[in-house]
Amino acid sequence: MFNEFALEHAWLIPLLPAVSFVIIGMLTRSYGRLSAAIAVTMSTVSFLLAIGVAAAVAAGNITVDAPFVQKLSWFHIGGVEISMGVLIDPLTAMMLMVVTTVSLLVQIYSCGYMKGDAGYGRFFAFLSLFAGSMLGLVIAVNFLQMYVFWELVGLCSYLLIGFYYYKVSAREAAKKAFMTTRVGDFGLLLGILLLQLTFGTLDFLELQQLVPLYILQFGSGFLTIIALLLFVGPIGKSGQFPLHVWLPDAMEGPTPVSALIHAATMVVAGVYLVGRSFFLFSQLPEVMTVIAWVGGFTAIFAASIAITQRQIKRILAYSTVSQLGYMMLALGVGSLTSSFFHLMTHAFFKAMLFLSAGAVMHAMAEEADIFKMGGLRKKMPVTFAAMTVGVLAISGIPPFAGFFSKDEILAAAASVSTPLYILATLTAFMTAFYMARLLFVTFMGKPASQEAYDHAHEVGWFMRVPLIVLAVLSVVSGLWAHLVGFGEWVRFGPAQHEGINWLIAGSSTVLAVLALGLAWKIYVARSWDVDAIAAKCGVLYQLSFHKFYIDEIYAALIRVFVDGAAKVLYWIDVNIVDNIVNILAGLVKAVGELLSPAENGQAQSYAGVYLCGVIILLAYGVYYASKLMAMLGGAF
Amino acid sequence: MSELAGSAVFFALAVVIIGTALGVVLNKNLVHSALLMTACFIGVGILYITLEADFLGAVEFMTYSGGVAILIVMGVMLTHRGEGVPSNPFNGRELFAAVLAAVFVTVMGLVVTFIQIPPGGGFVSGDTVADLADMMLNTYILPFEIAATLLLAALLGAIILAKGDGEA
Amino acid sequence: MTIGLTHYLLLAAVLFAIGMFGVLSKRNIIAVLMGIELMLNAVNINLIAFNRYLPVHDLSGQLMALFAIAVGVAEVAVGIALAFRIYHDRSTINVDELNRMKG
């Protein structure tokens, strides 16, 4: 019963958070607790509906080959009909579950985390809109609807990253995020427009039918361009190299926002878009190769930066970039299942890691440098436990969630390309190392600052419950999904019946354990001096610590190109445009001075000029009439 | 009236009208100009009569040769500055004005000789007073009333203008 | 030689030109008014001559001339009053001294 209802009313899932945004924004913004209550209530209902949808998908005949669709006409323009609607298939259902779960937990967490903040109500309004936009993106039936929500998500991220708008760094970060993703969105928009021009429709299901026929008829050359343009959007949104620069800066927002952006919402939009239009990408091997290599490179690139970062949220941010690279890599090697499996498990454990980081920073009076923490495990046992679970999960230690999803990605990569497999395995090793570094430095050893340590305390229940729930999910979601046959449902093409590849899984586990041990040796047992190692690595360390100077390179490029163009334009403006204007003005002035004696105030001279005009008109009339006469040959 | 007599009358009138009109604009004495203008209007009135418009000829005598001429002479008197100075001088643009007038006459001469006059003659009324009265009080009653209002307004306006503000 | 419409029109044109000359060249505002009257009369000659020589069926040309005379008379009355007023205020009726419109 409820399942049917939820399925029929799936459009409510994004609508409810949006409604909550409107209510909070218009009415209850100044009443913090009431706003929070509204937001959490709406999210809870959305969450329940998402469960209903998932149950309906699991129980009913809804598969990726036979999705459930509701559509209504949105607008007609020039003979093109654009509809808006709900597209439910196992992919959607899974995304709905993940997004609603994480956003609900984040909102509950925020009740505690944001307590006492002046923008309490505003924060919940933005969170609601963010969740609503993402859910709307997930259920979209066509590219245009998706694009609308895609931009809404971008807007919300701007608002939330710049939440502390009185901080210059927050404003700058918000601007950077918005503008960087705009670069990607531009490519996406071009791709969408080209799709519309080529196929005359943007509907996912219709395109799914049309694309293979098109390729049979015209080949895939043009589609490759379209697909690459489309992929530029996800590069921006999902923080892939080279448009990843905004994501670490996005840490300026409140920590729950980081959790939401980096785990469940904005960044996976790109992955979801590629997954949703997989019918297009999977037909184009060149594009798939590009996706795989972009993902693989991003993964190892970000991981190598994360190793040397000192700020807790920055480490997690680069970890997210790296993990997103993993998901893209999985998509690129054609394994939709493993990509989305990892998306789900990553959503849970990364959200938890961020929330834990938030708890730590909360306890340490907003201190972000991990080397100024230390020894917190006794003071914050719940957070420590959660963090440990998260680290084990992301490192791929069985039986935690990350083990299953990561293993599937590695297996998929290995079956396609050995270099990519090596890349991914190396990344896994580095991931385990830097996550362990984060955990050990923060919670083990001696406190770096006794005063801050004494002040630290375990967080309240509002923040503790989401941590516990997410920790449980991080433990069981991988195994559970593996057991119920995740690949049966979320897939593209035939179901993948791959069991665990014990060789790959075993080797990656061994590597992860080695990495954890290495981190233990360096940061807990202190067998080797950290600074000495850093000094020995020299250039490499500096490169990594300064994020490979990407920001500086961009700044320099902007300086060269934008400032150079500005200089050229300035020269043109001063020397050409201004001169033209001056010449025109001088001309007008000269003519005016020439004519001004004519205006002498003498009515008679005015009358004379007027009569001159009359006579000229008369003369012209005679001339014209005579020509007319001659032409008509005296017909009068 | 014979054809020859008609021509003679017309040319005689033309000479009178043009001659007096030239006198109006060329004379240095404003009073003389006014008197010559009266003579010119009498010539025009006679011309109207040769055009079978006897009522209008009479109107011309009465309003222009009578009323307007008297008004103008009064104006001359009221604004006269005394002896010694020419009362009707040129403003220094007479050459320009003469050229313009000559060009105008040339162009109009071209126009007039150029147009072809449709044959069939015009309308000649046996009793112009009755016919004009009939039209004015039937078909053209509205313009008639408007003209009456205009004259009244002009009269009042002239009085107020001439009287001035401060001398009420 | 038969006198026709052309003769009247030419006469009117000459009279108009003379009036125009007066309007443009005289200093005294009353002389200017006289020029305007000459021009008006030239127009009236045209109207009446048209009524006499063009194929029409009533006296509308003469009627129009009658209205023109009425308007002309009103204009003279107002014009003379204006001249008097100007003379009263500024002690001159020379048109070239009335140049307040100078820009």
Side-chain angles (χ1 to χ4, degrees):
Chain A
M1 262 311 283
F2 177 69
N3 299 352
E4 298 296 314
F5 175 84
L7 196 59
E8 292 294 329
H9 295 81
W11 47 272
L12 278 174
I13 297 176
L15 193 64
L16 288 174
V19 167
S20 132
F21 162 71
V22 172
I23 294 176
I24 297 174
M26 294 208 165
L27 300 174
T28 70
R29 194 175 51 221
S30 31
Y31 307 101
R33 284 180 171 279
L34 182 61
S35 303
I38 291 170
V40 171
T41 310
M42 291 295 191
S43 288
T44 311
V45 178
S46 271
F47 172 63
L48 292 175
L49 282 170
I51 290 182
V53 169
V57 169
N61 309 319
I62 299 168
T63 65
V64 283
D65 305 313
F68 168 85
V69 180
Q70 269 180 331
K71 267 198 277 194
L72 52 90
S73 180
W74 185 11
F75 61 83
H76 299 260
I77 180 165
V80 178
E81 185 176 350
I82 301 288
S83 46
M84 217 174 195
V86 179
L87 170 68
I88 303 283
D89 65 4
L91 208 65
T92 316
M94 184 217 100
M95 288 296 291
L96 287 178
M97 279 297 297
V98 171
V99 175
T100 52
T101 309
V102 175
S103 73
L104 175 62
L105 290 172
V106 165
Q107 285 181 2
I108 293 172
Y109 178 89
S110 302
C111 292
Y113 187 84
M114 297 299 287
K115 186 171 280 176
D117 195 286
Y120 199 79
R122 184 164 60 97
F123 184 74
F124 278 96
F126 290 164
L127 273 191
S128 295
L129 183 62
F130 205 164
S133 312
M134 186 64 198
L135 292 167
L137 190 153
V138 168
I139 63 166
V141 288
N142 58 41
F143 273 109
L144 195 69
Q145 188 185 352
M146 190 179 237
Y147 186 74
V148 170
F149 286 107
W150 178 279
E151 291 294 352
L152 265 178
V153 169
L155 169 72
C156 294
S157 80
Y158 171 80
L159 293 173
L160 283 169
I161 294 168
F163 185 76
Y164 298 129
Y165 51 83
Y166 40 82
K167 274 166 50 182
V168 177
S169 56
R171 286 204 299 270
E172 294 295 323
K175 245 190 305 183
K176 188 172 178 183
F178 197 70
M179 273 152 55
T180 313
T181 49
R182 287 296 316 162
V183 175
D185 295 351
F186 184 65
L188 175 64
L189 182 61
L190 279 182
I192 289 175
L193 291 176
L194 283 176
L195 269 182
Q196 171 71 44
L197 280 178
T198 312
F199 294 103
T201 178
L202 292 175
D203 193 280
F204 291 128
L205 298 178
E206 287 174 30
L207 283 173
Q208 195 160 6
Q209 308 290 324
L210 290 172
V211 167
L213 300 176
Y214 182 90
I215 290 176
L216 275 183
Q217 207 174 344
F218 302 106
S220 60
F222 189 54
L223 281 187
T224 305
I225 296 170
I226 296 180
L228 283 175
L229 282 172
L230 283 179
F231 183 58
V232 176
I235 286 181
K237 207 67 134 191
S238 290
Q240 300 296 293
F241 183 83
L243 295 182
H244 65 279
V245 288
W246 66 271
L247 219 160
D249 285 21
M251 295 303 113
E252 287 297 335
T255 306
V257 172
S258 308
L260 203 55
I261 290 180
H262 291 91
T265 326
M266 180 161 172
V267 292
V268 299
V271 178
Y272 179 73
L273 182 124
V274 177
R276 178 49 77 202
S277 35
F278 213 56
F279 55 84
L280 175 66
F281 288 105
S282 61
Q283 305 276 345
L284 307 163
E286 297 89 355
V287 182
M288 291 295 270
T289 313
V290 170
I291 294 177
W293 279 98
V294 166
F297 180 74
T298 306
I300 193 156
F301 173 79
S304 66
I305 294 176
I307 283 182
T308 56
Q309 297 304 306
R310 297 171 67 97
Q311 289 187 14
I312 185 163
K313 279 167 83 180
R314 239 169 224 287
I315 300 173
L316 290 175
Y318 278 106
S319 153
T320 303
V321 175
S322 172
Q323 298 300 310
L324 286 164
Y326 247 91
M327 294 175 210
M328 281 296 174
L329 167 66
L331 285 171
V333 297
S335 176
L336 183 87
T337 306
S338 63
S339 177
F340 276 73
F341 191 10
H342 196 59
L343 189 158
M344 179 178 80
T345 57
H346 175 255
F348 294 141
F349 60 66
K350 187 51 69 67
M352 187 186 62
L353 283 168
F354 266 113
L355 295 184
S356 307
V360 170
M361 285 166 65
H362 208 60
M364 299 295 290
E366 304 303 322
E367 179 57 64
D369 190 336
I370 53 172
F371 287 97
K372 293 186 179 154
M373 301 174 182
L376 288 175
R377 71 178 182 285
K378 286 178 202 119
K379 284 273 192 176
M380 309 176 74
V382 177
T383 313
F384 173 64
M387 197 75 139
T388 310
V389 169
V391 169
L392 292 176
I394 199 171
S395 306
I397 305 292
F400 296 96
F403 167 75
F404 296 95
S405 55
K406 205 168 252 188
D407 168 62
E408 278 205 31
I409 292 180
L410 289 175
S415 67
V416 172
S417 152
T418 315
L420 280 174
Y421 166 71
I422 294 168
L423 213 62
T425 312
L426 260 174
T427 307
F429 177 77
M430 285 156 85
T431 306
F433 178 77
Y434 67 71
M435 288 313 294
R437 168 176 175 264
L438 169 68
L439 180 72
F440 295 156
V441 173
T442 311
F443 289 97
M444 299 296 190
K446 283 189 293 252
S449 153
Q450 194 60 43
E451 188 191 348
Y453 178 80
D454 293 338
H455 187 258
H457 55 87
E458 184 59 281
V459 291
W461 280 106
F462 270 126
M463 291 160 76
R464 218 178 293 177
V465 169
L467 283 181
I468 295 167
V469 173
L470 284 170
V472 172
L473 282 172
S474 300
V475 177
V476 301
S477 64
L479 186 62
W480 173 77
H482 188 74
L483 291 178
V484 300
F486 186 80
E488 296 285 326
W489 297 101
V490 179
R491 62 189 162 82
F492 181 81
Q496 290 160 334
H497 278 290
E498 280 181 54
I500 294 176
N501 184 329
W502 289 111
L503 185 64
I504 291 171
S507 60
S508 73
T509 308
V510 169
L511 276 175
V513 171
L514 272 177
L516 293 180
L518 189 64
W520 178 272
K521 205 100 170 109
I522 294 176
Y523 294 105
V524 181
R526 304 224 175 246
S527 310
W528 299 303
D529 185 45
V530 184
D531 296 328
I533 300 171
K536 206 169 270 177
C537 294
V539 183
L540 283 178
Y541 179 82
Q542 288 300 325
L543 274 180
S544 167
F545 186 72
H546 291 108
K547 307 152 217 163
F548 292 90
Y549 297 98
I550 295 284
D551 281 327
E552 284 78 4
I553 291 170
Y554 283 177
L557 283 179
I558 286 170
R559 208 170 302 131
V560 169
F561 285 102
V562 178
D563 291 5
K567 266 184 196 138
V568 171
L569 290 176
Y570 177 76
W571 186 87
I572 290 174
D573 187 52
V574 168
N575 290 301
I576 296 178
V577 178
D578 280 8
N579 276 348
I580 290 174
V581 173
N582 288 343
I583 287 169
L584 280 178
L587 207 67
V588 172
K589 203 177 158 206
V591 171
E593 272 165 7
L594 203 68
L595 292 177
S596 77
E599 197 184 339
N600 54 8
Q602 303 278 338
Q604 282 172 316
S605 65
Y606 296 171
V609 171
Y610 157 69
L611 286 166
C612 275
V614 170
I615 291 169
I616 290 169
L617 280 178
L618 260 177
Y620 177 74
V622 173
Y623 169 74
Y624 184 75
S626 69
K627 274 188 66 170
L628 204 67
M629 287 283 191
M631 211 168 69
L632 295 175
F636 284 82
Chain B
M1 218 193 294
S2 76
E3 201 173 282
L4 185 67
S7 309
V9 169
F10 173 80
F11 283 113
L13 279 174
V15 168
V16 168
I17 290 171
I18 292 171
T20 50
L22 280 173
V24 170
V25 295
L26 295 177
N27 206 305
K28 293 267 188 283
N29 191 319
L30 198 56
V31 181
H32 293 176
S33 290
L35 290 175
L36 282 168
M37 191 184 72
T38 312
C40 178
F41 288 161
I42 290 173
V44 173
I46 297 171
L47 195 74
Y48 289 175
I49 294 170
T50 68
L51 284 165
E52 316 285 347
D54 40 355
F55 176 67
L56 272 167
V59 168
E60 179 80 15
F61 293 150
M62 285 193 287
T63 57
Y64 276 107
S65 307
V68 171
I70 287 173
L71 261 179
I72 295 224
V73 170
M74 278 180 69
V76 172
M77 304 266 175
L78 284 169
T79 59
H80 198 52
R81 268 222 175 143
E83 308 302 318
V85 273
S87 55
N88 191 13
F90 286 115
N91 61 2
R93 271 190 278 265
E94 54 269 25
L95 193 64
F96 165 71
V99 170
L100 206 62
V103 172
F104 179 79
V105 169
T106 315
V107 172
M108 281 314 288
L110 279 173
V111 171
V112 167
T113 51
F114 197 76
I115 54 167
Q116 288 174 324
I117 298 154
F123 182 79
V124 177
S125 166
D127 186 352
T128 52
V129 179
D131 282 356
L132 280 173
D134 190 44
M135 286 174 74
M136 204 179 258
L137 294 178
N138 285 309
T139 320
Y140 294 97
I141 181 72
L142 188 62
F144 174 64
E145 295 292 346
I146 293 173
T149 314
L150 173 74
L151 283 169
L152 181 63
L155 189 64
L156 290 174
I159 291 171
I160 289 170
L161 273 173
K163 191 160 66 72
D165 305 327
E167 300 156 38
Chain C
M1 181 180 184
T2 316
I3 302 299
L5 180 57
T6 314
H7 298 86
Y8 286 99
L9 294 184
L10 278 174
L11 174 62
V14 172
L15 190 57
F16 191 91
I18 294 170
M20 194 167 99
F21 172 76
V23 168
L24 292 182
S25 65
K26 304 308 274 192
R27 278 185 84 180
N28 194 307
I29 195 167
I30 292 180
V32 172
L33 270 175
M34 289 184 201
I36 293 176
E37 292 310 308
L38 291 180
M39 291 163 81
L40 267 168
N41 270 277
V43 171
N44 282 346
I45 291 174
N46 271 3
L47 284 169
I48 293 167
F50 283 142
N51 202 167
R52 172 68 182 78
Y53 289 105
L54 292 182
V56 291
H57 308 291
D58 56 12
L59 288 178
S60 48
Q62 291 192 21
L63 196 70
M64 211 54 71
L66 203 53
F67 283 124
I69 288 171
V71 173
V73 168
E75 179 240 307
V76 171
V78 175
I80 294 287
L82 268 173
F84 180 66
R85 183 78 235 164
I86 290 167
Y87 181 73
H88 191 90
D89 283 353
R90 313 185 64 178
S91 300
T92 180
I93 46 171
N94 285 348
V95 183
D96 49 5
E97 289 169 35
L98 305 175
N99 60 353
R100 279 214 196 151
M101 282 202 288
K102 181 166 182 159

